[in-house]
Amino acid sequence: LDIRLALTGFGNVGQGLATLLDRYGDTYLKRYGVALRLSGVADRAGAAVSLAGLDPVSLLEAKEQAGTVSAHSSGVPGLHGSDFLDRAQAHILVEAASTNFDDAEPGWSYVCGALERKMDVVLASKGSLALHFRELMENASRRGLQVQYSATVGAPVPSLQIADRALIGSEILAFEGILNGTTHQVLTAMTQGSSYDEGVRQAQEMGIAETDPTLDVDGWDAAAKVAIVANSVFGADLRIGDVDRVGIRGVTAAELAQARESGEAIKLIARAERTEAGVTAWVRPERRPLDDPLGRLRGDAMGIVFFTRPLGAIAATVDPSGESGGISTAMTVLRDVLNLARDRGWTEPHQT
Amino acid sequence: LDIRLALTGFGNVGQGLATLLDRYGDTYLKRYGVALRLSGVADRAGAAVSLAGLDPVSLLEAKEQAGTVSAHSSGVPGLHGSDFLDRAQAHILVEAASTNFDDAEPGWSYVCGALERKMDVVLASKGSLALHFRELMENASRRGLQVQYSATVGAPVPSLQIADRALIGSEILAFEGILNGTTHQVLTAMTQGSSYDEGVRQAQEMGIAETDPTLDVDGWDAAAKVAIVANSVFGADLRIGDVDRVGIRGVTAAELAQARESGEAIKLIARAERTEAGVTAWVRPERRPLDDPLGRLRGDAMGIVFFTRPLGAIAATVDPSGESGGISTAMTVLRDVLNLARDRGWTEPHQT
């Protein structure tokens, strides 16, 4: 079965998606019986569209050579918005434009436009979820459409899959996590003697930093993620602004050294819990012992711990491979696409 | 919607299931729109059956007072096998009889009988999977029936949910885990100065030891689990006898102390990997550093690490709550029941 994807945004994640479709496209066809095709890709300068599917490698070449996919042989400079969605005729919108926590645009308009056109949605960009979570889910549910977003909450960490599938029937009391790779990398680098600026630069080179680093270091990215997970697992309707937020700018080398001498480490922890007054969430630097599931993590590793009844504390952590952050996030977009296709009955039964 | 469960086996797990149905039954009805009813429960001496559903508390009382559910007011001494399945008229068989790795009986006959009667199956007992994995899956698949078994592979560890949902589309190269709580408890206790026998007794008191402790300490239980996970994630057809197996009887207090002095710990590790020659699996004691995702675990904690491309190493670990092992395993049986009901479209859409 052919599944047409419309992709908005062709930065780290979008390019990672093209790379992975080139690498794994044949495997997925063989393993799951689905051919994933990019029928449209939009970036700031325009778009490329082809109902037969755009060749991923030539998209990457157009981007590298001309800075935009609209320079592709199937490119249309200036093509955007509704016109783009109409022409791409996709089954699924993959929204991966850069995150904007002010008005979530242009992502929010793309998402709403996709739902109006009966497309399912897979999100890599957090804005729409951090500002309009419940509205979005209710809109999709009313139309019988799916919205998947596991790429937005600390991409490779299987937070949502664990909450949804492994903890169904259990009580989730609270959860906490290291959900932002950049600040974790900066804190680890500073603990090892690097400066704050060097740490930020390393994270940028690893492809894990947001385009605007203040979104990372001031805790906005972690706040968005904790709100999204809390909305998902607690049925809450938190917005990013509802999360108490302290970033890492105030963490000093002396504090990091002191923690280390006590056998602990300072981590930017994001936490949410159910209380009698409702769901509360915060982000702030905290000390954690080294035998804590989060305290042992280093560098760009991430993780989450769910505190549950009766199963206890369930932790999931990721020590990333050497691949770039864009590839890793793109893989989690593909996982959402494949799960969505499976739940819709589009895939062949498979064993893996 | 009423969902009738037939339960075979009323030991730790079966009694835990009755306890949890009493505790959470109303919650599940409200949250998922399903009423889970025990329409039949069988133990060695007979069974109790009621299509309207057996009261969980009175089943626990009958077991405690008379040693068998057949003493219940709906009890039928000597009722077993096909007659039991015919009378319970269940949607789902929950197979939780004690594990037997010789011929997997009586579980295997119950499972085959349930499939013949168009029942889905949820397994808490490992025998059928450790001896007949592929045959069982093919039999169920041919009939359009589901077999769920997440309770059998280190119950609260979300191994199968991560492999199935979070790693769909990724390459799983290998995995390793601490999958047996009893041996982990024994090794931890010995590291802290207890004797081997004291460690085994502690595990029995915690309700995590197999009825026959040699299944734990000689690595049979871990071998069954690694075979089942390998079959599931690699599409293999390993039997328990295909797993190279060394238990913990040979681990000395001196070795444990030596490891500890080096900042490491000895764990009974179970591992499987894809090789050019096929899928191989083993169980054996190994040293792990304390900042390893498995090395940091203590007591009856368990965990698994998937080595994947491109997402890196994904670890899931569980630090259990104080509840007994039977309750914990029973909760994972209920999770399988609820996921199965959801995939069948029996539940109401929910938000968790």
Side-chain angles (χ1 to χ4, degrees):
Chain A
L1 189 76
D2 270 31
I3 300 178
R4 289 188 299 276
L5 310 177
L7 170 65
T8 50
F10 205 61
N12 280 348
V13 177
Q15 292 174 51
L17 190 62
T19 303
L20 290 176
L21 286 175
D22 179 54
R23 192 190 292 176
Y24 290 123
D26 292 344
T27 305
Y28 296 162
L29 182 58
K30 198 170 143 193
R31 197 188 292 172
Y32 308 115
V34 292
L36 303 180
R37 312 238 184 253
L38 288 168
S39 61
V41 179
D43 61 22
R44 282 200 184 80
V49 284
S50 162
L51 295 190
L54 297 154
D55 169 51
V57 174
S58 61
L59 285 169
L60 292 165
E61 284 167 1
K63 186 76 179 183
E64 192 180 350
Q65 287 161 18
T68 168
V69 294
S70 64
H72 185 271
S73 58
S74 302
V76 185
L79 181 63
H80 278 301
S82 303
D83 292 343
F84 168 73
L85 292 175
D86 284 337
R87 290 181 59 172
Q89 294 186 35
H91 299 94
I92 301 174
L93 170 70
V94 175
E95 209 290 279
S98 25
T99 289
N100 161 358
F101 293 130
D102 296 323
D103 60 7
E105 293 296 352
W108 179 238
S109 295
Y110 274 120
V111 168
C112 293
L115 295 177
E116 281 165 22
R117 286 165 181 77
K118 291 277 172 202
M119 297 180 195
D120 294 309
V121 172
V122 171
L123 293 163
S125 164
K126 288 174 277 287
S128 300
L129 296 164
L131 297 179
H132 306 288
F133 189 90
R134 187 170 293 175
E135 182 185 349
L136 171 54
M137 296 306 154
E138 287 177 355
N139 183 354
S141 163
R142 218 165 32 235
R143 299 167 191 265
L145 296 170
Q146 290 209 31
V147 179
Q148 297 290 336
Y149 49 94
S150 83
T152 68
V153 294
V157 185
S159 310
L160 300 179
Q161 293 83 12
I162 289 177
D164 186 48
R165 286 273 157 181
L167 295 175
I168 187 172
S170 289
E171 295 173 71
I172 301 176
L173 311 172
F175 66 87
E176 63 181 28
I178 297 176
L179 300 179
N180 178 267
T182 298
T183 47
H184 196 206
Q185 179 64 35
V186 171
L187 291 173
T188 302
M190 285 176 73
T191 302
Q192 292 161 352
S194 299
S195 71
Y196 174 88
D197 290 339
E198 284 166 352
V200 172
R201 203 164 49 243
Q202 282 174 17
Q204 286 169 335
E205 282 163 9
M206 294 160 85
I208 58 173
E210 291 288 320
T211 316
D212 174 0
T214 62
L215 291 183
D216 291 313
V217 297
D218 290 330
W220 290 108
D221 179 72
K225 288 167 175 165
V226 74
I228 296 168
V229 178
N231 290 342
S232 180
V233 306
F234 294 137
D237 190 26
L238 296 181
R239 289 173 178 74
I240 187 171
D242 299 324
V243 179
D244 282 337
R245 182 180 46 76
V246 180
I248 64 163
R249 285 188 208 260
V251 178
T252 65
E255 286 170 333
L256 288 162
Q258 200 178 25
R260 192 180 181 179
E261 278 161 30
S262 314
E264 299 199 327
I266 296 179
K267 305 292 183 190
L268 187 67
I269 302 290
R271 183 178 168 105
E273 54 192 90
R274 248 191 239 274
T275 69
E276 302 227 333
V279 175
T280 61
W282 50 254
V283 173
R284 63 178 182 239
E286 288 211 337
R287 281 167 69 145
R288 284 288 186 277
L290 297 183
D291 62 353
D292 178 274
L294 302 178
R296 78 160 186 89
L297 299 177
R298 295 290 172 273
D300 59 335
M302 293 192 284
I304 198 163
V305 186
F306 291 99
F307 300 96
T308 79
R309 208 157 34 206
L311 295 180
I314 316 277
T317 58
V318 178
D319 294 286
S321 65
E323 302 237 31
S324 80
I327 290 285
S328 182
T329 305
M331 185 69 237
T332 65
V333 166
L334 279 178
R335 126 182 120 188
D336 278 357
V337 167
L338 291 169
N339 277 321
L340 193 161
R342 180 161 56 157
D343 289 343
R344 283 233 173 268
W346 293 342
T347 57
E348 307 282 326
H350 71 287
Q351 301 236 336
T352 301
Chain B
L1 189 77
D2 270 32
I3 299 179
R4 289 188 301 275
L5 309 177
L7 169 65
T8 49
F10 205 61
N12 281 346
V13 177
Q15 292 174 53
L17 191 63
T19 303
L20 290 175
L21 286 175
D22 180 53
R23 190 190 296 177
Y24 290 122
D26 292 345
T27 304
Y28 296 162
L29 182 56
K30 200 171 141 193
R31 195 188 292 173
Y32 308 114
V34 292
L36 303 180
R37 312 236 184 256
L38 288 169
S39 61
V41 179
D43 62 20
R44 281 201 184 79
V49 284
S50 161
L51 295 190
L54 298 155
D55 169 50
V57 174
S58 61
L59 285 169
L60 292 165
E61 284 167 1
K63 187 76 178 182
E64 192 180 349
Q65 287 160 18
T68 168
V69 293
S70 64
H72 185 270
S73 59
S74 302
V76 186
L79 181 61
H80 278 300
S82 305
D83 292 343
F84 168 73
L85 292 175
D86 284 337
R87 291 182 58 171
Q89 294 185 33
H91 299 94
I92 301 174
L93 170 70
V94 174
E95 208 291 278
S98 28
T99 289
N100 161 356
F101 293 130
D102 296 323
D103 60 7
E105 292 298 351
W108 179 238
S109 294
Y110 275 121
V111 168
C112 293
L115 294 176
E116 279 165 23
R117 287 163 180 79
K118 290 277 171 202
M119 297 179 196
D120 294 308
V121 172
V122 171
L123 293 165
S125 163
K126 287 173 277 287
S128 299
L129 296 163
L131 296 179
H132 306 289
F133 190 90
R134 186 169 293 175
E135 180 185 351
L136 171 54
M137 296 306 153
E138 287 177 354
N139 184 354
S141 165
R142 218 169 28 238
R143 299 167 190 264
L145 296 169
Q146 291 207 31
V147 179
Q148 298 290 335
Y149 49 94
S150 82
T152 66
V153 293
V157 185
S159 310
L160 299 179
Q161 292 84 12
I162 289 177
D164 187 47
R165 286 273 158 180
L167 296 175
I168 186 172
S170 289
E171 296 172 71
I172 300 176
L173 311 172
F175 66 87
E176 62 180 30
I178 297 175
L179 301 179
N180 178 269
T182 298
T183 48
H184 196 204
Q185 179 64 35
V186 171
L187 291 173
T188 302
M190 285 176 71
T191 302
Q192 292 161 349
S194 298
S195 71
Y196 174 90
D197 289 338
E198 283 165 352
V200 171
R201 201 163 52 242
Q202 281 173 19
Q204 284 168 335
E205 283 163 9
M206 295 161 82
I208 58 174
E210 292 288 321
T211 317
D212 174 0
T214 61
L215 291 183
D216 291 312
V217 298
D218 291 330
W220 290 107
D221 178 72
K225 288 168 175 164
V226 75
I228 294 167
V229 177
N231 290 342
S232 180
V233 307
F234 295 136
D237 190 25
L238 296 181
R239 288 172 177 75
I240 187 171
D242 298 325
V243 179
D244 282 337
R245 186 180 44 77
V246 180
I248 64 161
R249 284 188 209 260
V251 178
T252 64
E255 286 169 332
L256 288 162
Q258 198 178 28
R260 191 180 181 178
E261 278 160 30
S262 316
E264 299 199 327
I266 296 178
K267 306 292 183 190
L268 187 67
I269 301 290
R271 182 177 169 107
E273 55 193 89
R274 247 192 241 275
T275 69
E276 302 226 335
V279 175
T280 61
W282 51 253
V283 172
R284 63 177 182 240
E286 288 212 337
R287 280 167 71 145
R288 285 287 185 276
L290 297 183
D291 61 353
D292 178 274
L294 302 178
R296 75 160 189 90
L297 299 176
R298 296 288 172 277
D300 59 336
M302 292 192 284
I304 196 164
V305 185
F306 290 99
F307 300 95
T308 79
R309 212 160 27 209
L311 294 180
I314 316 276
T317 57
V318 177
D319 294 286
S321 66
E323 302 237 29
S324 79
I327 290 283
S328 183
T329 304
M331 184 69 238
T332 65
V333 167
L334 279 177
R335 126 181 122 189
D336 278 356
V337 168
L338 291 169
N339 277 322
L340 193 160
R342 180 159 58 156
D343 290 343
R344 284 233 174 266
W346 293 342
T347 57
E348 308 282 326
H350 72 286
Q351 299 235 338
T352 306

